[in-house]
Amino acid sequence: MADAQDEDIKGKTPPPPEPGAEGESPPLQRKSSSRKTVDGGEEKKEKKESSSSKPKRTDSSSALKPAAKATGAAAADAAEGEQKDLMKMIVQQNRKQALQNAEWSAIFVGSQGCGKSTLLQKFLMAEGQGDPKPTLALEYSFARRTSKTAPGVKEVAHLWEVGGGTALANLLDVPVNEASLKTAAVVICADLSKPSEVFSMVSFWLEQLRARIHKLESAMQKVPAKAKLMEQLRQRAAKRFAIASATPGADKAPEKHEDDGVVKHMGVTVLIAACKFDAFSSAAEAKLKRTVGRCLRFLAHANGASLLYVSKEDKQSVNNFRTLLSHYLFKGPAIPAKSKQPDHLQHMLIMAGSDSLKDIGMPLRPEEMSQMSSATDAWRKKWEEDCGKAPTIKAGPEAVPELDPKGQYKERQVDTALVQKEQDLKLYLSSQQQEEKKSDAKKPLARAGSSKTAASSSSKRAN
């Protein structure tokens, strides 16, 4: 650039100035770029090249723009592809870790001697160990198998059995916690050989489970990250409930179940297992069987639960139980909808969502239904009419049975020591209550004294 500009200046030498008038300063002359020769003459430097012969300057940046754009687009696509691959790897890794940590829980509850331990033994296929012993409190076992979808990954199911019946109902809080809510399945066992207790016992455990879930939900709502967990679990349960209600062979499952407004989903999988059907079937009349079947169908349907009858000697009913629980725990194959068995004279099998209030029917006449506060009360009345008055279910220490009701194992020294200990306990409890009353009585007096002191001090200041 500098050479070209110098050449332009040298090639345009101005002509010699004309003589000006006297007193006028000659015009400014531009210094000539001519050079003197040896003989004193001047030789003008000719232009090296004409303007037409000069090579045109091209903007290299403009020439590279399309190539740069293409290269940038390719780089962006490559970066996006790498990002997608990275995200895919992360998702696969998370799924692998989830499978490796795949753990579920099954909690067996029910009255004493209803068949919880037998069902658990049947599920574990441990019949060779003989009849199970009664469960005293809370017993733990586990089932493990190799995953069918992820080779080499072990799937584990934690199995809890709450013993002691309603006396130890609070032990339900141990296995039902925040960590197990997403993958828990609660099996409520009912003893069909005692039909008068079945309705009250199943209702009791449903209420206990609902109360426990409500307590956990109240605690989780204080944490923003967990505030909506139970609502999401209920929505998931309602969606599965609707899918199960689809007609076999239908192209699309309904978005909602026809009884969606009546069913109260807990968000936890619930299975009602009515045990000892063989003893019940041989002793009960057809009318009683029909009432028991319809009432249990209503309780299961209204709480979003599954229902099945089980006899330990009936292989088909045991296989149905194992298949259904394996589906809940290990996501195994589900029982086909066509396998539904609503006949109360047979081993009933009704998956959650496959039933409806229309199929179950009404328990009472319309004029009687209008006097009931809820449908559950109506079904309870129907149960008591046909099965006898249901006994009052006691919970906690009140439900602990008497150790020796017939007095067969009396020992004078032991009985005397027991009476003395009971008296000591009563005295201790009464003394604790008296101290609490005294401390409560002192608190108001202290507050009144402090207020009087404050009033007197304020009056002195005013004076």
Side-chain angles (χ1 to χ4, degrees):
M1 291 288 291
D3 294 339
Q5 290 176 358
D6 291 344
E7 289 173 359
D8 291 342
I9 295 172
K10 292 176 183 178
K12 294 182 180 179
T13 304
E18 297 179 357
E22 187 178 355
E24 293 181 1
S25 60
L28 294 174
Q29 295 183 4
R30 191 174 182 182
K31 185 176 180 180
S32 175
S33 58
S34 60
R35 58 182 181 180
K36 290 185 178 181
T37 58
V38 178
D39 55 356
E42 292 182 359
E43 181 179 355
K44 291 184 179 179
K45 185 178 180 182
E46 295 181 357
K47 293 182 179 179
K48 294 180 180 178
E49 294 178 353
S50 62
S51 60
S52 59
S53 63
K54 287 183 181 179
K56 294 183 178 179
R57 293 162 51 198
T58 58
D59 191 355
S60 60
S61 62
S62 62
L64 293 175
K65 279 182 181 179
K69 288 181 179 179
T71 306
D77 293 341
E80 185 177 359
E82 291 178 358
Q83 187 176 5
K84 289 181 178 180
D85 293 341
L86 181 60
M87 292 300 296
K88 188 176 181 180
M89 291 174 60
I90 293 174
V91 170
Q92 291 177 350
Q93 185 67 21
N94 290 339
R95 287 180 178 176
K96 186 176 180 181
Q97 290 179 356
L99 287 173
Q100 290 176 350
N101 300 326
E103 296 183 0
W104 293 269
S105 299
I107 302 100
F108 290 74
V109 298
S111 59
Q112 283 184 312
C114 65
K116 301 185 295 294
S117 301
T118 302
L119 274 183
L120 187 56
Q121 188 182 67
K122 293 290 184 182
F123 178 72
L124 295 173
M125 299 182 69
E127 290 86 350
Q129 298 179 2
D131 294 335
K133 296 180 180 180
T135 304
L136 299 178
L138 183 65
E139 289 192 1
Y140 169 81
S141 56
F142 69 94
R144 183 174 58 190
R145 74 171 191 179
T146 303
S147 175
K148 296 180 179 180
T149 57
V153 176
K154 298 292 184 180
E155 297 175 337
V156 179
H158 304 284
L159 306 175
W160 301 87
E161 183 183 355
V162 179
T166 58
L168 302 177
N170 291 336
L171 291 177
L172 181 66
D173 297 355
V174 177
V176 180
N177 49 56
E178 291 185 14
S180 65
L181 278 176
K182 295 181 182 179
T183 57
V186 180
V187 182
I188 300 177
C189 301
D191 188 355
L192 288 176
S193 64
K194 302 175 182 178
S196 60
E197 301 179 2
V198 172
F199 192 93
S200 298
M201 192 61 65
V202 173
S203 300
F204 171 83
W205 286 107
L206 287 171
E207 292 172 1
Q208 285 288 120
L209 178 60
R210 195 178 294 278
R212 174 57 179 166
I213 292 174
H214 178 72
K215 185 177 180 180
L216 291 174
E217 185 177 10
S218 300
M220 289 188 294
Q221 285 179 348
K222 299 177 182 179
V223 182
K226 302 178 182 178
K228 298 182 179 180
L229 176 60
M230 286 311 307
E231 185 62 29
Q232 293 173 354
L233 292 177
R234 292 190 188 98
Q235 292 176 359
R236 182 185 69 176
K239 186 177 180 179
R240 293 176 178 175
F241 204 73
I243 293 174
S245 67
T247 305
D251 297 335
K252 187 178 180 181
E255 295 183 359
K256 291 184 178 181
H257 194 280
E258 58 180 287
D259 301 325
D260 183 68
V262 179
V263 179
K264 297 180 180 180
H265 296 286
M266 297 189 191
V268 174
T269 302
V270 180
L271 171 61
I272 299 176
C275 306
K276 304 182 182 180
F277 176 72
D278 48 356
F280 171 69
S281 179
S282 60
E285 298 179 355
K287 182 181 179 181
L288 181 60
K289 294 176 185 177
R290 184 172 183 270
T291 300
V292 171
R294 293 176 65 207
C295 288
L296 287 178
R297 285 176 65 183
F298 169 77
L299 284 177
H301 184 68
N303 292 277
S306 298
L307 170 67
L308 80 161
Y309 282 2
V310 187
S311 299
K312 67 177 183 179
E313 302 299 335
D314 186 77
K315 293 183 179 181
Q316 184 59 47
S317 64
V318 172
N319 288 336
N320 289 339
F321 171 74
R322 296 186 70 251
T323 302
L324 195 57
L325 190 57
S326 296
H327 171 65
Y328 291 148
L329 296 181
F330 299 115
K331 306 305 176 186
I335 297 178
K338 63 181 181 180
S339 300
K340 175 184 174 182
Q341 175 57 270
D343 188 1
H344 56 271
L345 299 176
Q346 305 294 329
H347 285 83
M348 284 203 304
L349 173 62
I350 301 175
M351 286 72 70
S354 62
D355 213 347
S356 66
L357 295 177
K358 181 175 64 176
D359 295 338
I360 298 172
M362 300 298 292
L364 304 174
R365 293 188 297 272
E367 58 271 17
E368 293 177 328
M369 287 293 296
S370 61
Q371 300 176 2
M372 295 290 125
S373 58
S374 64
T376 303
D377 293 338
W379 282 104
R380 188 187 300 275
K381 182 178 180 181
K382 177 65 176 176
W383 184 282
E384 292 179 351
E385 288 178 356
D386 296 343
C387 305
K389 184 173 179 59
T392 303
I393 303 298
K394 297 180 180 180
E398 296 180 357
V400 177
E402 192 175 350
L403 297 178
D404 187 16
K406 297 182 180 180
Q408 298 177 352
Y409 307 100
K410 289 185 176 181
E411 292 186 15
R412 184 175 179 181
Q413 294 180 351
V414 176
D415 295 340
T416 303
L418 178 61
V419 171
Q420 183 64 38
K421 292 295 181 182
E422 288 178 349
Q423 291 178 354
D424 294 343
L425 179 61
K426 289 180 181 179
L427 291 174
Y428 172 76
L429 293 176
S430 61
S431 63
Q432 290 292 323
Q433 291 177 356
Q434 291 177 0
E435 290 181 0
E436 290 179 359
K437 289 180 180 179
K438 290 180 181 180
S439 60
D440 293 339
K442 290 180 180 179
K443 289 179 181 178
L445 293 175
R447 291 175 183 172
S450 61
S451 61
K452 289 180 181 179
T453 305
S456 61
S457 60
S458 60
S459 61
K460 287 179 181 180
R461 289 175 184 175
N463 295 333

